[in-house]
């Protein structure tokens, strides 16, 4: 068994043919790709586009990061001088041991591993990205949540001096998101420190961002400065901006359309000149791992 290295397996070479590919990688976390049985049995029903890593070029130039503007190329064009060092993250609220950690301390305490996850934007496109990160639950366990900690609130940085988008009332700044505590503790939920084996580019949320693969991309807040354990369900910036369009849960669900467009399919970014559309899958393909979190819930009501 050999570790997966980008020098050995270029995006073009890692086409695969098993539906479980992404999920297995997500769970096996930076583990064996080359030489593993993932490549051996074929399943023609899955399109190769669905399973090809999105080129680094697209991952780092086609972004949503409204702090730097609403255009897709605004983040890469306007975030290069953004200062991410020094950077502290406060983990507090309903916890026994609130803590402030520098990024150096975080990198040292929580080694990053590779997770290949699909990011499905609510706008109807997706990318498959090799993230570097670690489970959020590792940091949460460190601070010992109290019995009142029912939700986790994620707060991104507020810095209108450096972030031109924050000078306009596009969203309720700073960018805020939330998860239920069991969603936050789930092993698939990670804090991201890099991608493609490199330090996280500014436009992707450096130095630390969330990634929740079964939810729409906007749940994955960038440039986090505060992770707060709370008793009440937090109101995210998107819920506040448009409550009938963006709910708290925001689980990827092809059967619940956005009020203004269908969620049944998604455009694969970088998949060719004619961007192919593929069917969107329940929980973005991670249903085997996460469906049990929502047993008995009406997912049309709790969208
Ligand atoms: N702070 C902050 N985080 C954010 C956003 C944002 O505008 N601000 N956009 C979200 C949206 S809509 C998506 S799809 C993803 C995009 O992540 P990526 O640019 O790394 O692909 O980031 C999410 N995190
Ligand atoms: Mo998005």
């Amino acid at each position: 068994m050999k570790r997966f290295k980008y020098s050995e397996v270029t995006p073009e070479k890692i086409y695969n043919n098993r539906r479980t590919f992404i999920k297995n990688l997500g769970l096996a976390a930076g583990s064996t790709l080359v030489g593993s049985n993932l490549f051996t049995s074929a399943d023609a029903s899955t399109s190769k586009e669905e399973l090809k890593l999105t080129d680094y070029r697209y991952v780092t130039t086609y972004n949503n990061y409204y702090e730097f503007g609403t255009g897709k190329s605004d983040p890469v064009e306007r975030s290069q001088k953004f200062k991410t060092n020094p950077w502290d993250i406060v983990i507090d609220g309903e916890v026994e041991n609130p803590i402030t950690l520098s990024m150096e301390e975080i990198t040292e305490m929580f080694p990053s591993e590779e997770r290949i996850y699909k990011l499905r934007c609510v706008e109807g496109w997706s990318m498959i990205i090799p993230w570097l990160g670690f489970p959020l639950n590792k940091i949460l366990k460190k601070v010992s949540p109290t019995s009142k900690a029912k939700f986790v609130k994620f707060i991104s940085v507020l810095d209108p001096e450096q972030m031109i988008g924050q000078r306009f009332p596009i969203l309720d700044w700073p960018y805020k998101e939330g998860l239920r505590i069991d969603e936050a503790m789930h092993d698939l939920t990670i804090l991201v420190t890099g991608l493609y084996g490199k330090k996280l580019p500014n436009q992707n949320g450096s130095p630390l961002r969330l990634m929740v693969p079964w939810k729409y991309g906007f749940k994955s807040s960038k440039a986090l400065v505060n992770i707060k354990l709370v008793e009440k369900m937090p109101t995210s910036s998107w819920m506040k901006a448009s409550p009938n369009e963006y709910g708290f849960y925001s689980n990827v669900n092809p059967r619940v359309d956005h009020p203004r467009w269908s969620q049944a399919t998604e455009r694969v970014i970088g998949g060719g000149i004619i961007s192919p559309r593929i069917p969107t899958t329940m929980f973005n393909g991670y249903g085997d791992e996460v469906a049990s979190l929502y047993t008995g819930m009406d997912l049309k009501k709790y969208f």
Side-chain angles (χ1 to χ4, degrees):
M1 297 286 237
K2 210 164 155 233
R3 265 186 91 82
F4 175 58
K5 283 207 202 82
Y6 288 96
S7 51
E8 298 165 348
V9 184
T10 66
E12 291 69 32
K13 286 183 200 156
I14 87 158
Y15 283 96
N16 191 17
N17 38 34
R18 278 187 69 184
R19 192 171 288 284
T20 50
F21 175 66
I22 299 165
K23 279 195 296 198
N24 282 349
L25 281 165
L27 288 173
S31 58
T32 52
L33 221 194
V34 183
S36 81
N37 65 4
L38 284 173
F39 278 116
T40 54
S41 81
D43 175 358
S45 66
T46 304
S47 72
K48 61 185 181 179
E49 284 85 4
E50 190 183 350
L51 300 168
K52 180 182 174 288
L53 283 189
T54 307
D55 285 358
Y56 183 81
R57 179 162 63 97
Y58 292 108
V59 174
T60 57
T61 59
Y62 188 93
N63 301 99
N64 273 339
Y65 199 169
Y66 281 16
E67 285 88 334
F68 291 105
T70 55
K72 291 286 177 283
S73 59
D74 288 343
V76 64
E77 286 165 9
R78 298 175 176 172
S79 72
Q80 296 316 307
K81 287 183 180 155
F82 181 63
K83 243 187 120 216
T84 58
N85 181 29
W87 193 279
D88 287 344
I89 292 121
V90 177
I91 305 115
D92 64 356
E94 290 294 345
V95 298
E96 305 286 355
N97 317 304
I99 194 170
T100 300
L101 295 170
S102 67
M103 265 319 286
E104 285 81 11
E105 289 170 316
I106 288 184
T107 331
E108 199 156 293
M109 291 166 77
F110 310 103
S112 285
E113 55 191 33
E114 191 155 78
R115 298 265 182 124
I116 298 179
Y117 285 160
K118 180 149 71 72
L119 179 141
R120 167 59 158 84
C121 179
V122 74
E123 294 165 340
W125 51 265
S126 65
M127 298 191 194
I128 297 178
I129 302 174
W131 306 98
L132 286 177
F134 60 90
L136 170 66
N137 63 38
K138 293 204 172 162
I139 234 175
L140 296 181
K141 284 172 189 161
K142 202 107 208 151
V143 295
S144 305
T146 71
S147 59
K148 282 185 172 173
K150 302 279 195 274
F151 295 91
V152 185
K153 184 172 180 177
F154 300 88
I155 305 166
S156 299
V157 72
L158 181 66
D159 190 349
E161 295 268 303
Q162 291 198 80
M163 299 174 134
I164 192 170
Q166 288 186 338
R167 297 176 209 165
F168 306 91
I170 310 159
L171 285 172
D172 175 39
W173 307 117
Y175 196 95
K176 290 176 265 310
E177 261 305 337
L179 293 174
R180 214 170 56 189
I181 186 80
D182 57 342
E183 298 175 325
M185 294 297 284
H186 196 284
D187 192 62
L188 285 181
T189 303
I190 58 170
L191 286 172
V192 169
T193 57
L195 52 81
Y196 267 102
K198 298 181 203 180
K199 185 188 159 294
L200 193 61
N202 284 353
Q203 59 270 33
N204 297 93
S206 185
L208 194 72
R209 63 91 62 87
L210 186 66
M211 176 59 195
V212 193
W214 70 95
K215 293 180 181 279
Y216 290 114
F218 65 85
K219 297 299 281 184
S220 299
S221 320
K222 296 177 171 180
L224 291 170
V225 293
N226 187 193
I227 298 170
K228 203 178 271 300
L229 290 277
V230 294
E231 194 173 3
K232 301 235 161 66
M233 179 183 283
T235 303
S236 68
S237 294
W238 284 107
M239 288 162 74
K240 195 159 180 185
S242 193
N244 66 321
E245 293 181 312
Y246 308 106
F248 174 79
Y249 286 94
S250 297
N251 292 315
V252 173
N253 188 343
R255 292 190 290 272
V256 177
D257 289 336
H258 185 282
R260 291 184 279 138
W261 58 82
S262 164
Q263 291 293 14
T265 64
E266 64 207 53
R267 189 165 54 88
V268 180
I269 298 294
I273 296 163
I274 309 154
S275 278
R277 292 199 80 92
I278 57 168
T280 285
T281 47
M282 191 64 202
F283 297 116
N284 202 24
Y286 301 91
D288 288 352
E289 287 78 33
V290 302
S292 63
L293 297 175
Y294 310 101
T295 309
M297 279 176 70
D298 177 354
L299 297 178
K300 276 202 162 70
K301 185 175 173 204
Y302 298 103
F303 62 98

